[in-house]
Amino acid sequence: MLTTMSTSPDSPAHIGIVGAGQLARMTLQAAIPLGLRLRLLAERPDDGAALIAPDVLLGLPNDPEALLDFARGCEVVTFDHELVPPPCLDALIAAGTCLRPSAATMRLAQDKSAQRRVFAELGLPVPPFQVLSRESDLAEVIKSLGSPLVLKAARGGYDGRGVWIVDGADNLRARFKELTASGIELIAERWVRIERELAILIARRPGGQTAVYPLVETVQVEGICREVILPAPVSPGLAAEAEEIARTIAEASDVVGILAVELFLAGGRLIVNEIATRPHNSGHYSIEGCVTSQFEQHLRAILDWPLGATAPTAPAVVTVNILGGPTGGDPFAALPCALGLEGTHVHLYGKGARPGRKLGHVTVCASGVEQARRQARKAAELLSGAPIPGEVAT
């Protein structure tokens, strides 16, 4: 069932976004100076982007009727999440909808087992892995991948969800039974000792023009990205290798829009973790930290417009995510104090506060990483009401 909340004129929307979370909210902000009109498909009227968008329709991303009604009149439809089932994507294509990224690209982004197979075939560095479909596979998995190993949900995992470290054959068997009984498809990977987690963004137009953003370090705490640091503390050679990996995946997946590639640095080597074919948490720094933000770039790419420059606007840029503190306090109450810190750029997502929920982010551009990181963490701590884990060098 589709319900409209539109308050805009009767002329058709130019771009449709399936999803109305913080990614759609920041994309909407990037569209305003370009004079673009966006239509959003929101699950709830209080979704972050639905609160500020003039053209919102309410409906579920797995409802074919809602999707088809939403897409009518849109020149192009894009996504702020990967939760649209493949049959719904196929129905949109059959109705003549222009999807960017395409249904085929979205399927790859939705399926981690497919990503592993494709990347291995491309000769990209991936951890040894095996798709788990039967309990009889488990002994061979332990033999070939060792223990401990990493179990991943093939679909639907994010922010640390859908990932389990399992040690020993008995624990593996118990976890396999528990998860498969819930209908979760699994892949197993060899556990690697991660030195750093990294990410790189690339934008691509339909004709193949690309624009690559600088490599960044992502600092993860309990599976959730807490900080993004530019520049990543790696050698120029590794940064160039990461860019080549991103270009290879962008071309092979035929992506249109922003592609985020998550990487591990392990044993001095890069390993591809997974991808996202949409604006990504690792690119929020680009709003203030690059000449062209990832959100504007995504819009340019899906409209087949010339891509913008990706150069950093400062020698160092750090973004710290604001998570709800243990008391569940609203960060808005501390906003004046955070804005009083020189050089801080605060983005709140319009979400109701609760402990551990991602409520916004802070970005600081500075002459050095430690200066930017210290200031961004201080502002984020004020807003969340809780200290950020980890130390900053003095």
Side-chain angles (χ1 to χ4, degrees):
M1 183 67 180
L2 192 68
T3 304
T4 181
M5 294 171 55
S6 175
T7 59
S8 59
D10 292 334
S11 57
H14 196 55
I15 298 171
I17 301 180
V18 178
Q22 63 256 30
L23 298 179
R25 185 182 177 104
M26 287 180 273
T27 304
L28 180 67
Q29 292 168 315
I32 291 170
L34 299 177
L36 296 173
R37 295 184 54 243
L38 271 57
R39 171 183 293 167
L40 307 182
L41 181 66
E43 292 191 41
R44 298 166 49 94
D46 60 351
D47 285 347
L51 293 171
I52 63 170
D55 191 356
V56 180
L57 287 83
L58 298 180
L60 297 177
N62 60 356
D63 181 345
E65 181 182 347
L67 286 165
L68 290 170
D69 287 347
F70 164 77
R72 290 190 183 98
C74 293
E75 181 176 327
V76 59
V77 169
T78 191
F79 310 88
D80 90 336
H81 57 64
E82 292 88 15
L83 302 180
V84 182
C88 293
L89 295 172
D90 292 339
L92 287 169
I93 293 295
T97 306
C98 177
L99 297 184
R100 290 179 175 169
S102 69
T105 304
M106 286 290 290
R107 284 193 186 91
L108 182 64
Q110 293 170 337
D111 189 337
K112 293 181 178 65
S113 61
Q115 289 178 38
R116 282 287 177 261
R117 289 193 295 270
V118 169
F119 299 162
E121 290 168 1
L122 291 170
L124 298 177
V126 297
F129 71 97
Q130 185 170 331
V131 177
L132 294 183
S133 55
R134 301 181 303 273
E135 188 174 348
S136 58
D137 296 334
L138 301 183
E140 178 60 30
V141 165
I142 290 283
K143 181 179 178 181
S144 61
L145 300 182
S147 183
L149 52 75
V150 181
L151 289 183
K152 290 185 176 181
R155 297 176 180 82
Y158 68 97
D159 275 352
R161 299 176 180 88
V163 179
W164 303 269
I165 309 299
V166 180
D167 194 2
D170 291 341
N171 290 331
L172 174 61
R173 184 171 293 102
R175 182 67 78 174
F176 175 84
K177 289 180 177 179
E178 172 194 351
L179 296 172
T180 54
S182 300
I184 298 174
E185 299 176 49
L186 293 169
I187 58 174
E189 296 179 356
R190 178 173 295 166
W191 181 84
V192 297
R193 188 176 300 278
I194 300 169
E195 299 162 26
R196 297 187 187 276
E197 296 196 43
L198 307 165
I200 190 165
L201 301 176
I202 182 170
R204 183 174 180 274
R205 292 172 65 184
Q209 181 198 5
T210 59
V212 184
Y213 285 80
L215 183 69
V216 297
E217 180 179 12
T218 61
V219 179
Q220 313 286 327
V221 179
E222 296 180 352
I224 299 176
C225 180
R226 296 303 303 265
E227 299 176 82
V228 177
I229 300 170
L230 172 71
V234 301
S235 68
L238 280 175
E241 182 184 347
E243 178 174 333
E244 186 57 33
I245 288 171
R247 291 188 184 279
T248 298
I249 295 174
E251 185 67 25
S253 65
D254 197 27
V255 71
V256 174
I258 286 282
L259 167 76
V261 182
E262 299 178 10
L263 301 155
F264 296 145
L265 180 63
R269 297 177 57 248
L270 293 178
I271 297 174
V272 180
N273 179 25
E274 58 189 57
I275 64 169
T277 54
R278 50 166 171 76
H280 191 255
N281 188 62
S282 67
H284 292 351
Y285 78 92
S286 65
I287 298 173
E288 291 84 20
C290 291
V291 174
T292 310
S293 79
Q294 67 163 339
F295 300 99
E296 178 181 334
Q297 199 80 285
H298 185 70
L299 292 170
R300 289 186 183 212
I302 65 174
L303 292 172
D304 202 14
W305 290 358
L307 300 179
T310 58
T313 58
V317 185
V318 173
T319 289
V320 177
N321 285 322
I322 304 163
L323 268 60
T327 63
D330 188 345
F332 190 79
L335 185 56
C337 293
L339 293 175
L341 299 175
E342 183 179 357
T344 57
H345 302 274
V346 179
H347 297 258
L348 298 180
Y349 302 156
K351 293 180 174 180
R354 66 169 182 259
R357 191 181 197 191
K358 197 176 295 182
L359 304 176
H361 71 266
V362 176
T363 297
V364 173
C365 303
S367 58
V369 166
E370 299 310 328
Q371 176 190 356
R373 195 178 182 196
R374 191 160 35 245
Q375 195 80 332
R377 287 166 66 98
K378 186 175 181 180
E381 287 175 350
L382 284 171
L383 291 160
S384 67
I388 308 297
E391 297 292 330
V392 177
T394 58

